[in-house]
Amino acid sequence: MTASIYPEATPELARKRRELAPEVQAAFESFGRQVFSDGALPSKTKQLIAVAVAHVTQCPYCIQGHTRAAQRAGATAEELMEAVWVAAEMRAGAAYAHSAIMISALSGEEPK
């Protein structure tokens, strides 16, 4: 990762997390393995969803990690970009949909 406000994800950082809460860390890792394994949705699809969600949540660690995981699962650059476009549309759509709150406020209506 380039210079930023985010610390680099290092083995030392991962070790420290494990030391501070080993049981929770193990449970989280197990949960992640289960969630991203093949099921009703194949792993590749799950990783593409994760890339899209990571862009909406704007987590650089998640974007990097799930992009790589999606590639390992067979996702193409084109599929990854399409997933990002879906995320962008959903984020824009949410802003548009929430304009209903602003319009209600303009007319003096209270939210229901």
Side-chain angles (χ1 to χ4, degrees), residues 48-68:
L48 287 166
I49 291 168
V51 169
V53 170
H55 279 80
V56 171
T57 62
Q58 299 180 333
C59 174
Y61 301 107
C62 299
I63 292 169
Q64 235 178 26
H66 288 288
T67 296
R68 290 177 181 148

Side-chain angles (χ1 to χ4, degrees), residues 25-38 43 46:
Q25 180 70 35
F28 185 69
E29 289 171 4
S30 177
F31 176 63
R33 281 190 301 275
Q34 182 66 38
V35 166
F36 286 101
S37 66
D38 285 331
S43 179
K46 291 177 179 184

Side-chain angles (χ1 to χ4, degrees), residues 34-109:
Q34 182 66 38
V35 166
F36 286 101
S37 66
D38 285 331
L41 294 173
S43 179
K44 176 180 148 181
T45 300
K46 291 177 179 184
Q47 289 298 340
L48 287 166
I49 291 168
V51 169
V53 170
H55 279 80
V56 171
T57 62
Q58 299 180 333
C59 174
Y61 301 107
C62 299
I63 292 169
Q64 235 178 26
H66 288 288
T67 296
R68 290 177 181 148
Q71 287 177 309
R72 286 192 303 273
T76 66
E78 292 80 8
E79 288 171 320
L80 285 156
M81 192 65 233
E82 242 180 75
V84 171
W85 280 118
V86 169
E89 193 284 334
M90 291 299 294
R91 190 163 177 140
Y96 173 76
H98 279 83
S99 69
I101 298 167
M102 180 269 303
I103 291 167
S104 293
L106 286 173
S107 64
E109 293 178 27

Side-chain angles (χ1 to χ4, degrees), residues 11 13-33:
L13 192 59
R15 182 190 61 74
K16 188 67 171 176
R17 281 192 191 111
R18 278 191 305 279
E19 284 176 2
L20 292 170
E23 298 84 13
V24 177
Q25 180 70 35
F28 185 69
E29 289 171 4
S30 177
F31 176 63
R33 281 190 301 275

